[in-house]
Amino acid sequence: MDAVVIPERFFLDRFALGTAALERVLGTAVATRADHADLFFEYRVAQTASLEDGLVKKATRSVRQGVGVRVLAGTRQGYAYTDEVSLDRLEIAARAARYIAEQRSDAAVAVAVADGRPHDLYAVAAPPVDTPVADVAALLGRLDAVARAYDPHVTNVLGTIGIEHRVILVATPDGRMVGDVRPLVHLSITCIAERGGVRQQGNHGGGGRFTFAELVGRAEAFARDAARQAITNLDAGPAPAGTMNVVLGPGWPGILLHEAVGHGLEGDFSRKGTSTFSNRIGTRVASELCTVVDDGTIPSRRGSLNVDDEGTPTQRTVLIENGILRGYLQDKQNAALMGMPLTGNGRRESFAHLPMPRMTNTFMLAGTEAPEDIIRSVDRGLYAVSFGGGSVDITSGKFVFSASEAYEIEGGKIGRPVNGATLIGDGPDVLTRITRVGHDLALDDGIGTCGKDGQSVPVGVGLPTVRIDGITVGGTQA
């Protein structure tokens, strides 16, 4: 049985800091005109290994630790960090953060204190966690063989495994210290298939907040699916273009919901008026079939957290209920400035970054229809199973997404696979065009990484089968 990690003792012992030292640093941070201050300690061990041309060509292990000092004063945030954790360095960081924040002209705001205890969503082990490189290399070698055995036209397999173990601690001037120990594993597989001079690829992967041993049991299915997608795309024809009805498959296509809608529901964009959803709580923003939630409390999911990076327990937040906008995702600063409750969505990439409102696991709830009936309801259209790249404008909600696996729908039946299909539209408009929702809600397999203001954090997405009427499809068919 692994030892239980208590983040408070882990950091105080590791850096020879007592509670009196933390109180001193926080006192320095809030000495003048501050609404709130906190310390964010982090210790992270990360391992990676990558496969190409049948060989594991690269393996890394890194250890990073440090602490960030934040001071809130109205709309201003002062932040400084150090990877040399000592009382002197923390004092310097606290003075720097205070100086930045105290250049304010606005009135003070009351910053909420998080209620509730941290969750217990994932099993943890005592750091440092080291997975033998030989074990990782053996798994990648096996996945290479599995993918190539799927079809002789699979000519190359690219794979990456990432394993992370992170311990964090948040301390505030009221004496609260809240910590978390976060495991995370991730596998990404790309298969290249070639036939008759045509080359295509397929991608799959997964992971979550569990151990490498648990990933091993799921990995072969990911490799086979990547190979299947590559072979399917070899047989694909040009995608149709025009305005048509589109059916999105369950699971990973929820990335469209995340990008085109979710970011616009984050508190900072909404508060500043740069989101198309600003000042619209209580109004209809989607079809009555749409209920969208963000839930950071689902055990072992990639986007789940026991507490966010401000020490607030995560929760299940209803964003859109039967088409009506109900709320936004909040961190401490934006919740205070908007006069709204905390939702446990203050997230940051590392101790070197400020927290901001971010999604955790964001998805649409299931409806009542059978997926096959939704397909049958479309005479001519597109069935999109998986997405690759895309872009979205937060202010307008306009997006472009490319489908990495898609099929024509003809006469209510799934037809030939197609290449080069893109979906073009804007998030709020797309939500109003959803006319049928399946009972088959699925979350993605654990591959999502969300970027915002130069920071990346792991997230989850999900969707049931949905029909969207009259959306623009960019295609390659002459």
Side-chain angles (χ1 to χ4, degrees):
M1 180 84 178
D2 290 311
V4 175
V5 181
I6 302 175
E8 296 94 317
R9 290 262 51 90
F10 176 81
F11 285 109
L12 296 182
D13 292 345
R14 184 174 186 82
F15 301 125
L17 294 170
T19 54
L22 300 190
E23 290 171 2
R24 176 177 161 184
V25 173
L26 287 164
T28 299
V30 298
T32 58
R33 304 193 69 193
D35 302 324
H36 173 77
D38 54 38
L39 305 178
F40 181 83
F41 290 85
E42 178 185 23
Y43 173 85
R44 182 190 307 211
V45 178
Q47 296 175 251
T48 66
S50 56
L51 171 83
E52 184 179 356
D53 295 324
L55 299 172
V56 176
K57 294 186 175 181
K58 184 178 180 181
T60 69
R61 181 182 185 274
S62 63
V63 178
R64 194 178 185 202
Q65 63 184 25
V67 61
V69 185
R70 178 176 65 151
V71 179
L72 298 182
T75 58
R76 299 184 69 88
Q77 293 191 80
Y79 197 71
Y81 66 90
T82 175
D83 55 9
E84 181 183 325
V85 186
S86 66
L87 181 57
D88 288 344
R89 290 291 181 177
L90 288 178
E91 282 278 295
I92 293 171
R95 287 193 293 271
R98 185 186 71 198
Y99 176 79
I100 296 167
E102 68 187 5
Q103 311 301 307
R104 59 181 278 182
S105 58
D106 45 356
V109 296
V111 177
V113 176
D115 294 324
R117 297 178 59 81
H119 305 298
D120 185 16
L121 302 175
Y122 28 82
V124 299
V129 172
D130 286 308
T131 302
V133 174
D135 293 353
V136 180
L139 176 59
L140 286 171
R142 190 160 83 247
L143 298 182
D144 181 84
V146 166
R148 292 175 188 272
Y150 182 87
D151 190 283
H153 293 98
V154 174
T155 57
N156 199 4
V157 181
L158 310 176
T160 301
I161 291 176
I163 306 166
E164 180 180 291
H165 194 81
R166 189 180 184 203
V167 186
I168 66 105
L169 176 69
V170 181
T172 55
D174 58 6
R176 292 182 77 245
M177 286 194 288
V178 181
D180 195 13
V181 184
R182 300 171 177 172
L184 188 67
V185 294
H186 175 252
L187 166 68
S188 176
I189 293 287
T190 297
C191 291
I192 309 298
E194 299 181 65
R195 183 201 303 140
V198 178
R199 189 182 194 198
Q200 291 290 345
Q201 71 179 42
N203 306 282
H204 204 66
R209 297 199 179 277
F210 44 77
T211 65
F212 173 76
E214 292 175 89
L215 176 68
V216 170
R218 315 177 190 198
E220 290 189 11
F222 298 151
R224 281 190 287 270
D225 200 67
R228 179 200 59 77
Q229 189 182 103
I231 298 303
T232 297
N233 286 335
L234 274 183
D235 298 324
T243 300
M244 64 187 72
N245 298 335
V246 172
V247 177
L248 302 183
W252 179 241
I255 189 63
L256 188 149
L257 183 75
H258 169 103
E259 294 288 0
V261 178
H263 280 297
L265 297 175
E266 292 169 336
D268 49 355
F269 294 129
S270 299
R271 174 178 65 82
K272 296 171 185 176
T274 56
S275 166
T276 187
F277 295 107
S278 295
N279 303 311
R280 296 189 65 186
I281 288 182
T283 67
R284 180 167 297 282
V285 297
S287 159
E288 64 181 11
L289 299 174
C290 297
T291 295
V292 179
V293 303
D294 183 89
D295 191 348
T297 69
I298 307 172
S300 300
R301 298 298 307 183
R302 180 170 168 82
S304 295
L305 297 167
N306 289 324
V307 294
D308 71 4
D309 294 324
E310 298 179 309
T312 305
T314 53
Q315 66 181 45
R316 181 183 177 92
T317 302
V318 177
L319 299 169
I320 298 172
E321 183 178 31
N322 302 128
I324 305 299
L325 182 61
R326 296 301 185 193
Y328 304 119
L329 301 175
Q330 301 288 9
D331 64 351
K332 284 187 175 182
Q333 183 188 44
N334 288 283
L337 293 169
M338 298 177 74
M340 294 183 174
L342 292 171
T343 61
N345 289 91
R347 304 190 63 188
R348 65 180 102 199
E349 181 177 321
S350 76
F351 70 88
H353 300 84
L354 274 166
M356 64 182 80
R358 305 292 297 271
M359 286 171 274
T360 56
N361 304 298
T362 310
F363 51 93
M364 182 184 295
L365 297 190
T368 60
E369 298 203 52
E372 56 270 25
D373 290 339
I374 296 177
I375 297 290
R376 200 174 293 123
S377 72
V378 178
D379 182 56
R380 178 180 178 273
L382 186 78
Y383 179 46
V385 176
S386 185
F387 286 98
S391 62
V392 62
D393 182 289
I394 300 301
T395 302
S396 66
K398 294 186 182 298
F399 65 80
V400 177
F401 280 96
S402 59
S404 56
E405 183 179 354
Y407 303 83
E408 282 188 338
I409 301 176
E410 292 284 352
K413 296 180 180 180
I414 296 174
R416 68 185 180 98
V418 296
N419 275 325
T422 59
L423 301 189
I424 305 166
D426 71 77
D429 178 64
V430 162
L431 289 184
T432 67
R433 295 176 179 272
I434 293 177
T435 57
R436 308 187 78 156
V437 180
H439 57 55
D440 58 339
L441 168 64
L443 300 182
D444 75 288
D445 287 317
I447 58 175
T449 297
C450 174
K452 177 180 175 181
D453 288 351
Q455 295 192 42
S456 296
V457 296
V459 296
V461 302
L463 197 71
T465 298
V466 299
R467 170 175 158 169
I468 305 172
D469 287 359
I471 187 172
T472 301
V473 177
T476 52
Q477 192 173 63

